[in-house]
Amino acid sequence: MGTASSLVSPSEVIEDAYGGEGGEACEIPVEVKPKARLLRSSFRRGPRVIGASFKSTGSVELEYAAEYERLRKDYEIFRVSKNNEIASMQKKEAKLDEENKRLRAELQALQKTYQKILREKESALEAKYQAMERAATFEHDRDKVKRQFKIFRETKEKEIQDLLRAKRDLESKLQQLQAQGIQIYDPADSDSDDNGTTVTTAGTQCEYWSGGVLGSEPSMGSMMQLQQTHRGPEFAHSLIDVEGPFANVSRDDWDAAVASLLQVSPHVSQALWSNTIRCYLIYTQETRAEMQTFIQTHSLRLQRFCEGLGHFYLNVSFPEEKAALYAAERRQEIERSSVCVLLLKSSVSSCVVEDVEEAFVKTPDSRPLLLYLRTGDRKGEKEEVSTLTPSTRDLLERVNKADKSAKLKVVDYAGSVEGGAALIFTQLERIIKQELLGLELEESGAMEEREEEDSGDVLWDLHDEQEQIEAFQQACSAASRFSFQKYVEQLNDMVAAPPPTPPLLVSGAPGSGKSLLLAKWIELQQKHSPNTLILYHFTGHPLSTSTDPVLIIKRLTVKLLQHFWSISGLSMDPSKILEEFPRWLERLSARHHGNIIIIIDSIDQIQNAEQHMKWLIDPLPANVRVLVSVNVETCPQAWRLWPTLHLDPLNPREVKSVISTECVNSDIKLTKDQEKKLERHCRSAATCNALYITLLARLITQSRSSWTLERTLQQCALCQDTISLYRLGLKVALDSLSTDQEKHIMKELLCLVCSSHNGISESEALELFPDLSFPALTSLLHNLERLLIITYTCGLIRFQHPQACEAVNQEFLDGGKCHGSYREKIIRFFSEQLKQDRVTWRVADELPWLLQQQEDQSKLQMSLLNLFVSQNLYKRGHFSELLTYWQFVGKDKCSMATEYFDSLKEFEKTCESEQSMSRLANLYETLGCFLKDLGLLSQAVAPLQRSLEIRETALDPDHPSVAQSLHQLAGVYVHWRKFGNAEQLYKQAMEICENAYGPEHSTVARELDSLSLLYQKQNKYEQAEKLRKRSVKIRQKTARQKGHMYDFALLKRRALQLEELTLGKDSADCAKTLNELGVLYYLQNNLDAAKMFLTRSLEMRQRVLGPDHTDCAQSLNNLAALHSERKEYESAEELYERALDIRKRALAPDHPSLAYTLKHLAMLYKRRGKLEKAVPLYELALEIREKSFGPKHPSVATALVNLAVLYCQLKQHSDALPLYERALKVYEDSLGRLHPRVGETLKNLAVLSYEEGDFEKAAELYKRAMEIKEAEPSLVCGKAPSHHSSSGDTFSLRSPALPHASR
């Protein structure tokens, strides 16, 4: 019935379903149709077939109708349901539209609110900036006042320089001064063996400072005040009083002040020029044999000795027959020489006379001098003095007359040539050890060890430090050719901008003078802002150690920590060094009184600068500024948003000035046409930068060139950039050489310098080129240096500018493709030294780096497994460099440790003598420290224990080296948190050091520091504090006695200079000089001399200015401080009262100088128990400070605390409490809640609460104070004696019965 089974083929017959007998067949289409259509189509086929059944047809029709009805109902149901769904969706859509409209309205309202808040924020920021501008204006006005007081310092320095040049004319007056009983002390006098004492006017010796605190005598002045003051050392408006929170200056604060003064005086030897001991030998034909014997037989020993201490040694001599050809070079070498030796017999030549005049007569005090006078022939027969020619006798008389300080050492000898050479060697060795290097003759090794110990556990390279000092000095010298005044003023304004300030960018093209500007600005800042701590770094060649970011940040951190007498707690891990620097900067900036400025030159040359200098983009502390210079072409995009000072090319007037100055100095005159040509040429940006113009001027005035001036100008006009001009300079230098061999040597030498890591020394150049004589070498280098191609840094020949290096690359090295062959030559040279057991710092610096560049992993590994190479790198702080080499080899930490252990075991088999066992112990100790820094604590114990065993066996159980092993082993246990073991080892080490050196040696202070930090980690704060105080006292005393941290020889030289100024008539300026001189002698603890000069200053001021002048009050104040130091309190009180009386009459009632004297007199009253007389003075001082600085200044808080302490001592607790609370609020608002001053005030409040019976509040306050103290555990061992110390101005109340409830 309508299904597929009813469909049949046309030939089949369908029987009637109702039982019919049969009938015709009915064709039904095969195509399947819907049932209803199928039914209808059956009726449309035409006339009905006769004989068909009607019943069958009707049944089908009914069946289809039912089906149709059913489908229609389904359709209706489906349609209704879909209509309902559509209606529901429309309702939902309408609802969503309404919700959307509501949300849009809310969004518009929020946007309006946001705009309103944004406008309010901008208004608030604008108000904030206006307030900052007002504050900056106030600061500017105050600085302007302070600058007026600096004028005296600047003018006086110029007077000193002028007078020192006329020193010989003042000798007679100095003798008169000595006749009056004043002993002039020369720190450079070689005949003095006692460097720890000064000689008073009475001729007695006195020690340096005893370590006592001069809590109430800051008016003696500090060296910082000496640089600032207009009237003398007491500077009432000093940074200490005006800007700092603690107006009182103690002896510890003076140490920090002297450190600030000595920023320009490095802690490296000043007797050596560029880390090289240059022995200038002047000889005649008659003494040539002694000179040659000395060089061939003895100088090698001196060279090895100096190499072992990290210096170069060089014999400088010019053959008598050729000396006239090297006149300029001889003058330069005499100026650079460390010691001069004159070898004479009977006659002298004109060249010898010239050299002797320059070295022995004109500047006899510049260097040690040695005269070898052979008084007999080689057979030992005595010759008469009369054999001396008249010219020789006259020369010796002039030398003897010029030697007023008796520095000349004379050797008379009548024996053999070998004996004479041996005598010269003996005297030179003594001079080098004692006078140049400051070592004792017999104890040089011990001295070297003590210096290493003094530096603590932080390992750093003095060569890196000297390199920076020399780079700064060279930049300052070069900066004098240009006027950077407008840029200096702009830099001052940028630095003075209110915080927060991002790093300041100095940008410019290569050679535009960025380094010169920064050096000039640093120099000015050191002169005018001595309270500002300036840390600088100048980068060199892009692949040199000066561009290693880890070494840069480590050096800056150590320099920062040195100014706070603490270098403990510094990690050696490269990643931690970079990570911890911002935290160190933040901690120490809070402790520093004044600003901290960090200057990094050519920061874009640093390896991966953006990655390793991420701290630059972090917010800096308020008193920290960072200046960086970059090449404008390579400046990272992220840094371009920083405040920028761009250096423009030189203008025509500046170009003409530079060229004209150079021509005048060289006695060359340009025609007008030549000047016009140069002016037209120097118009583009590439041809008018500072470097291009300087090099152009040098080429024009090149005296040795075979080119004519016109040809030189034509060739220069073809050079459109600095590199092409440098290439022209190389051609000019080559043409100036006479032989092909000299030209070949010049090319080879420059290629070696270009291919090396850090450069080549002169002594290495002479070894690399055996046929090269010293005169030829120095003439070549002198010419290249004048053409700005090379320079000397730390004794190494380097390129003055990266563009000079690039010019050599292009001219001689085919764009750098030939580096490999030259590196192989240097590798062979240093490998040969390694085979001879000459492991110097140069071998360690160059050989591994060169092998890495050559990608020779096997040889690199072999060089690293030379234990002394690795030890040298590690001991000098090149930790990250050592790790980089091992990573290049493909070794991890554990594999590296295993390799070192195996090498040490092999080396131990060859050790038999005591010296070799000592070296073995040092190697084991170095390995243990290295593994500790790597974090391999379990593996670090074994080598340190082995080092301890060797030293106990080979030396003695009580030897100081054993203490060193115990100290290092204890450090591993501290990292391992085995505090009990570490404490025992530290105590053993301290006991050995006390027995060996005494209880006040720096090594004892080191152990005390370590124990203090250990107790701090165990929360034993009282024990830690006792040890820390003892350590600080020892370090202060040893620093004063040895001049280790602060070079007091500089103070003595300054005193000598000032004495020369006091020989004139009575005047106000002379009285000021006498006053400053008294302060300098006071700083050297020469109290008798200080009293004499201060008394002379007072008497002269009373005669010249009158007894009621304020300068007389200053002298009275200083004398009072001196008497107070000597515990002569009655005299001090009388002098303070006289000074106060003068200042009350002469100054305004709210003048800070009046408060200054009031405070000191009040403190003296307090010291003598006259508390009632001290109270009104403290109250008046507080009132003056409030008027001068405002009620919220930290200096006011200090005065509040002082007055509160006084009230507590008078048992007036109710009066003291509000003062303490007010002071606490001021400290927290101005210095921060975690500042040490806040902790001290909280501790005083805790004692006060305890005495009043409020034990719960006392415990809470004491707990807060302890939390602040714990906030900086790394500084506990070596807390800086800064202006934040509590030794003098703010007193601390202590009660032994205070319960430790916080624990």
Side-chain angles (χ1 to χ4, degrees), residues 222-241:
S222 64
M223 290 304 297
M224 182 192 310
Q225 295 167 343
L226 290 177
Q227 287 189 329
Q228 295 172 322
T229 179
H230 179 67
R231 297 198 310 263
E234 180 199 340
F235 184 47
H237 299 282
S238 68
L239 293 176
I240 296 173
D241 236 357

Side-chain angles (χ1 to χ4, degrees), residues 221-395:
S222 64
M223 290 304 297
M224 182 192 310
Q225 295 167 343
L226 290 177
Q227 287 189 329
Q228 295 172 322
T229 179
H230 179 67
R231 297 198 310 263
E234 180 199 340
F235 184 47
H237 299 282
S238 68
L239 293 176
I240 296 173
D241 236 357
V242 176
E243 294 183 2
F246 319 116
N248 181 60
V249 185
S250 69
R251 275 293 181 88
D252 296 339
D253 299 317
W254 272 327
D255 291 339
V258 174
S260 181
L261 168 70
L262 296 175
Q263 285 192 74
V264 294
S265 299
H267 302 149
V268 295
S269 175
Q270 295 299 293
L272 310 183
W273 184 85
S274 193
N275 195 41
T276 305
I277 297 174
R278 310 175 79 87
C279 179
Y280 193 92
L281 300 168
I282 308 172
Y283 63 95
T284 64
Q285 290 292 340
E286 298 169 319
T287 55
R288 179 190 293 270
E290 281 90 340
M291 191 273 298
Q292 291 178 342
T293 304
F294 165 74
I295 291 177
Q296 295 170 3
T297 308
H298 301 286
S299 65
L300 189 62
R301 290 174 57 188
L302 292 176
Q303 182 180 352
R304 296 292 185 269
F305 170 75
C306 295
E307 283 179 355
L309 296 179
H311 307 292
F312 297 108
Y313 174 83
L314 191 64
N315 290 313
V316 179
S317 63
F318 294 88
E320 191 175 8
E321 60 275 9
K322 295 184 179 180
L325 302 175
Y326 303 104
E329 288 82 356
R330 282 163 39 217
R331 286 194 299 272
Q332 179 177 271
E333 288 299 332
I334 290 175
E335 182 182 348
R336 294 175 175 178
S337 62
S338 310
V339 56
C340 286
V341 182
L342 173 61
L343 294 86
L344 286 181
K345 183 179 179 184
S346 60
S347 61
V348 292
S349 65
S350 59
C351 293
V352 170
V353 173
E354 291 173 4
D355 287 351
V356 173
E357 283 280 348
E358 191 73 28
F360 285 74
V361 179
K362 292 183 180 179
T363 57
D365 296 329
S366 300
R367 64 193 65 80
L369 305 172
L370 176 62
L371 171 60
Y372 170 80
L373 187 62
R374 198 173 79 205
T375 55
D377 63 11
R378 298 182 184 180
K379 296 180 181 179
E381 297 177 1
K382 189 73 175 178
E383 291 187 358
E384 299 298 329
V385 178
S386 59
T387 59
L388 293 175
T389 63
S391 59
T392 305
R393 188 179 297 108
D394 178 64
L395 181 64

Side-chain angles (χ1 to χ4, degrees), residues 1097-1157:
S1097 172
L1098 175 61
E1099 293 170 353
M1100 189 178 293
R1101 281 173 166 172
Q1102 288 174 338
R1103 289 194 301 269
V1104 175
L1105 303 174
D1108 295 332
H1109 197 275
T1110 52
D1111 283 359
C1112 295
Q1114 181 195 57
S1115 294
L1116 289 168
N1117 222 49
N1118 287 347
L1119 276 170
L1122 180 67
H1123 284 291
S1124 184
E1125 171 71 10
R1126 303 174 78 162
K1127 303 189 184 305
E1128 299 169 356
Y1129 296 128
E1130 292 185 5
S1131 301
E1133 183 177 335
E1134 178 187 354
L1135 293 168
Y1136 272 134
E1137 288 175 345
R1138 286 173 60 189
L1140 180 62
D1141 182 60
I1142 293 173
R1143 285 180 167 173
K1144 277 185 175 179
R1145 286 186 276 108
L1147 302 176
D1150 59 346
H1151 198 281
S1153 293
L1154 185 59
Y1156 199 70
T1157 307

Side-chain angles (χ1 to χ4, degrees), residues 95 132 134 148 284 379 455 459 462 693 783 802 847 895 966 1013 1019 1044 1061 1078 1084 1127 1177 1191 1228 1267 1287:
K95 187 176 181 181
M132 287 182 175
R134 289 194 297 271
Q148 295 173 358
T284 64
K379 296 180 181 179
S455 65
L459 308 172
L462 280 176
I693 295 302
N783 193 25
L847 188 56
S895 302
L966 291 169
L1013 182 58
N1019 298 327
H1044 163 62
L1061 297 176
Q1084 298 172 40
K1127 303 189 184 305
L1177 298 182
E1228 288 179 338
E1267 289 173 351
S1287 56

